[in-house]
């Protein structure tokens, strides 16, 4: 296969570097087009590939009980460059995999520079990639430069590309107390494709509402970064605490309006109601409708557990609002991360609507493998949904709802339920055991068949 290609990769971040590595290891050439240092982003500080823009942590490294730890392990087994360099440059961080950031990105850069099948061209791609680039991976990340973002938006449509995420907290369905909450759509409307019982509703009486309101107003908030301050989230997508500060009834007439809903446990019409909407096809995750927030993470857990029915809620992800360029992948991408409207363009990294360093690199790994399969004419099936890699790609390309799509990090709520019901912590072990078992079969199908 030596000499085939090249695959053009736009963006030399975590996803782009990983994709290039996977392609080169299959004997195919890759060109990384990276705009730094000539053209900078608002947050990158160096010229290095795979620069970590904020924390130096790849989060938990526990492959037995944690979904991101499992993703680490799966990527190691798939010979990920990013995981190998992280392991080589790790610093003590308890159960987390944290790295010396300069040593890490320096090592990724040197390793790629030494790889004869990868070349790096420094310069911004300021529109759709040239037509004679037959195979392209766009991995330009949450801070994709404006001209390229605009070109993608023109190709795919106005609502297809977001420039900010506005994430409401997402909760594991099983942790919601249905002795207090109940399933019902407003006015029992089935709507298109619904049942009339599509939302989970959490009731509040007046005292509970007022206590919740003051907790929201007083809770500690995270600040916008200076370069994010002029965010266009205003009005359309106000943080819940901003709505709370506008007046006593703003929330009761907004996302917490109680009309059209009756509490079946008491028969009462409630003073205010918090609604949760199904977040994935499996129904294992629900998001709190209209609760995008800039509250600090610890404050979110504390304040949102004041909601009746959510006292013991476990969060698959907490809310946030950030500058973040991402595609409406469930609508736009096929199962192999190709843009349906222009299949020579494949996407990888945070721009596909995953969230986090590891998840971004994971989508780079898969995009690289898909590109190799296209060029070599071999078939490459995505990893099964029971693995962390497979659950993540299935979520962004199919499982998530295109109407409400927001970036997602890996969590067990994305995995199909276990065949056997196991309770508590051991259920996590059930997921990870099954994942690594299925990953092995996926990697060695012939051995498994013998
Ligand atoms: C401010 C901020 C803080 C974050 N903090 C964390 C965190 O602490 N932990 C975490 O897990 N995740 C964090 N993330 C989310 C995400 O994991 C990282 O952004 C991650 O780097 C995404 O990887 P990527 O490869 O998709 O994009 P990036 O690593 O950003 O790589 C994209 C590359 O493309 C280049 N590029 C952009 N446009 C063009 C163009 N037109 N032509 C050529 N090159 C281009 C950029 O210069 C960049 O090098 C953060 C995101 C942001 C914006």
């Amino acid at each position: 296969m030596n000499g085939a290609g090249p695959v053009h990769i736009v963006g030399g971040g975590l996803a782009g570097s990983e994709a290039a590595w996977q392609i080169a290891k299959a004997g195919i050439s890759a060109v990384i087009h990276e705009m730094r240092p000539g053209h900078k982003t608002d947050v990158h500080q160096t010229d290095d590939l795979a620069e970590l823009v904020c924390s130096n942590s790849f989060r938990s490294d526990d492959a037995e009980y944690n979904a991101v730890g499992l993703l680490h392990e799966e990527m190691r087994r798939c010979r990920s460059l990013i995981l190998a360099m992280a392991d080589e440059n790790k610093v003590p961080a308890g159960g987390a995999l944290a790295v010396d950031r300069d040593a890490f990105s320096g090592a990724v850069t040197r390793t790629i520079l030494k790889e004869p099948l990868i070349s790096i061209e420094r310069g911004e791609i300021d529109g759709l990639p040239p037509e004679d680039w037959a195979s392209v991976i766009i991995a330009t990340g949450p801070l994709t430069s404006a001209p390229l973002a605009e070109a993608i938006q023109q190709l795919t449509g106005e609502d297809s590309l977001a420039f900010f995420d506005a994430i409401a907290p997402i909760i594991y369905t099983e942790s919601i107390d249905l002795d207090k909450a109940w399933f019902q759509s407003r006015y029992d409307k089935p709507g298109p494709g619904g049942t009339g019982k599509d939302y989970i509703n959490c009731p509040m009486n007046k005292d509970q509402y007022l206590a919740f309101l003051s907790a929201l107003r007083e809770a500690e908030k995270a600040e916008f970064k200076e370069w994010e301050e002029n965010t266009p989230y205003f009005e359309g997508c106000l943080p819940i605490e901003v709505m709370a500060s506008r007046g006593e009834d703003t929330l009761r007439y907004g996302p917490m309006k109680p009309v059209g809903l009756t509490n079946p446990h008491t028969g009462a019409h409630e003073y205010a109601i918090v609604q949760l909407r199904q977040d994935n096809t499996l129904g294992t995750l629900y998001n709190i409708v209209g609760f995008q927030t800039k509250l600090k993470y610890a404050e979110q857990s504390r304040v949102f557990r004041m909601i009746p029915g959510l006292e013991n809620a476990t969060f698959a992800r907490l809310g946030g609002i950030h500058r973040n360029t991402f595609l409406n992948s469930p609508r736009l991408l096929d199962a192999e991360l190709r843009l349906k409207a222009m299949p020579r363009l494949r996407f990888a990294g945070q721009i596909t609507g995953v969230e986090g360093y590891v998840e971004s690199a994971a989508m780079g790994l898969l995009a690289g493998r898909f590109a190799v399969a296209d060029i070599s004419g071999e078939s490459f099936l995505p990893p099964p949904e029971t693995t962390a890699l497979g659950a993540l790609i299935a979520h962004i390309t199919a499982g998530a709802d295109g109407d409400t799509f927001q970036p997602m990090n890996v969590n067990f709520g994305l995995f199909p339920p276990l065949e056997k019901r196991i309770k508590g912590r051991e259920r996590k072990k059930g997921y990870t055991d099954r994942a690594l078992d299925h990953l092995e079969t996926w990697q060695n199908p012939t051995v498994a068949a013998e």
Side-chain angles (χ1 to χ4, degrees):
M1 188 53 63
N2 258 350
V7 179
H8 291 271
I9 299 168
V10 188
L14 289 157
S17 303
E18 183 66 59
W21 185 252
Q22 297 294 326
I23 292 163
K25 290 299 112 185
I28 293 174
S29 65
V31 184
I32 297 178
H33 301 266
E34 170 52 56
M35 69 178 183
R36 290 175 290 123
H39 193 110
K40 295 185 175 7
T41 75
D42 284 315
V43 298
H44 288 83
Q45 306 282 330
T46 74
D47 304 351
D48 280 343
L49 302 177
E51 179 180 332
L52 301 181
V53 289
C54 186
S55 148
N56 66 332
S57 172
F58 285 66
R59 314 194 323 268
S60 171
D61 202 25
D62 176 355
E64 291 192 314
Y65 292 96
N66 186 287
V68 77
L70 172 66
L71 186 57
H72 292 172
E73 181 56 24
E74 292 182 9
M75 291 174 73
R76 287 184 183 110
R77 294 185 186 196
C78 294
R79 298 177 197 281
S80 155
L81 171 69
I82 294 300
L83 258 293
M85 296 297 108
D87 285 336
E88 272 180 27
N89 293 286
K90 70 178 168 197
V91 295
L97 173 60
V99 300
D100 174 322
R101 69 176 68 243
D102 293 329
F104 165 76
S105 57
V108 172
T109 309
R110 280 192 305 280
T111 309
I112 288 208
L113 281 170
K114 269 196 265 165
E115 169 51 60
L117 284 174
I118 307 178
S119 54
I120 305 176
E121 287 187 10
R122 299 278 178 174
E124 182 189 10
I125 303 302
D126 61 1
L128 288 182
E131 279 176 27
D132 61 347
W133 293 6
S135 179
V136 181
I137 296 175
I138 299 183
T140 43
L143 307 169
T144 296
S145 75
L148 177 59
E150 280 157 24
I152 296 169
Q153 199 175 27
Q154 267 180 19
L155 173 68
T156 54
E158 192 154 333
D159 297 334
S160 61
L161 192 72
F163 295 93
F164 282 85
D165 54 36
I167 296 168
I170 298 172
I171 291 176
Y172 289 101
T173 315
E174 63 191 13
S175 69
I176 301 171
D177 180 358
L178 289 173
D179 288 336
K180 292 185 183 158
W182 71 97
F183 283 93
Q184 186 185 9
S185 304
R186 210 177 288 285
Y187 300 111
D188 303 304
K189 278 190 187 156
T195 63
K197 290 184 188 290
D198 298 325
Y199 290 79
I200 295 179
N201 302 282
C202 299
M204 276 190 194
N205 62 32
K206 187 169 182 182
D207 288 345
Q208 288 166 329
Y209 175 78
L210 292 177
F212 182 65
L213 203 64
S214 54
L216 274 178
R217 288 171 176 167
E218 284 156 24
E220 252 191 288
K221 283 125 200 130
E223 297 300 322
F224 273 113
K225 307 263 182 343
E226 197 184 306
W227 51 274
E228 288 180 319
E229 261 166 12
N230 295 325
T231 51
Y233 71 79
F234 295 109
E235 303 313 327
C237 206
L238 280 177
I240 188 82
E241 61 279 8
V242 174
M243 279 186 260
S245 69
R246 288 196 167 177
E248 191 175 303
D249 288 326
T250 309
L251 285 176
R252 268 186 6 101
Y253 288 96
M256 292 177 67
K257 64 175 175 282
V259 297
L261 298 164
T262 308
N263 186 342
H265 304 301
T266 61
H269 290 282
E270 299 290 343
Y271 191 72
I273 287 178
V274 174
Q275 282 205 304
L276 292 95
R277 186 194 292 121
Q278 189 171 328
D279 201 81
N280 62 342
T281 319
L282 294 171
T284 48
L285 300 173
Y286 272 71
N287 65 66
I288 318 185
V289 179
F291 270 46
Q292 55 277 354
T293 178
K294 284 293 279 183
L295 294 191
K296 290 198 166 160
Y297 281 173
E299 292 287 76
Q300 290 188 37
S301 314
R302 180 180 67 79
V303 175
F304 297 146
R305 286 192 184 124
M306 290 171 71
I307 299 170
L310 302 189
E311 292 88 345
N312 298 309
T314 46
F315 294 88
R317 76 161 302 177
L318 289 157
I321 299 176
H322 310 100
R323 172 82 171 79
N324 191 359
T325 311
F326 65 97
L327 289 172
N328 191 323
S329 296
R331 293 220 171 106
L332 300 179
L333 301 186
D334 69 12
E336 298 187 9
L337 299 170
R338 280 177 302 216
L339 191 66
K340 291 176 194 161
M342 195 177 274
R344 76 186 171 95
L345 304 184
R346 188 168 254 124
F347 283 80
Q350 181 110 350
I351 196 168
T352 63
V354 293
E355 167 74 35
Y357 296 151
V358 190
E359 290 86 341
S360 297
M363 290 306 106
L365 188 152
L366 291 179
R369 296 277 181 105
F370 284 129
V372 167
D374 274 357
I375 289 178
S376 59
E378 285 163 14
S379 89
F380 175 74
L381 290 175
E385 267 185 65
T386 45
T387 64
L389 282 164
L392 202 52
I393 191 172
H395 177 75
I396 60 166
T397 58
D401 181 350
D403 287 342
T404 54
F405 184 60
Q406 290 291 328
M408 181 60 102
N409 40 36
V410 69
N411 63 76
F412 289 124
L414 304 180
F415 291 58
L418 293 169
E419 295 73 22
K420 217 168 62 192
R421 225 181 133 65
I422 311 174
K423 280 207 173 140
R425 186 171 147 79
E426 284 315 300
R427 185 140 45 111
K428 295 180 178 171
K429 183 83 168 58
Y431 282 126
T432 60
D433 284 347
R434 181 180 68 174
L436 293 177
D437 189 31
H438 289 189
L439 187 83
E440 195 172 326
T441 313
W442 174 72
Q443 287 187 303
N444 305 296
T446 44
V447 177
E450 278 161 15

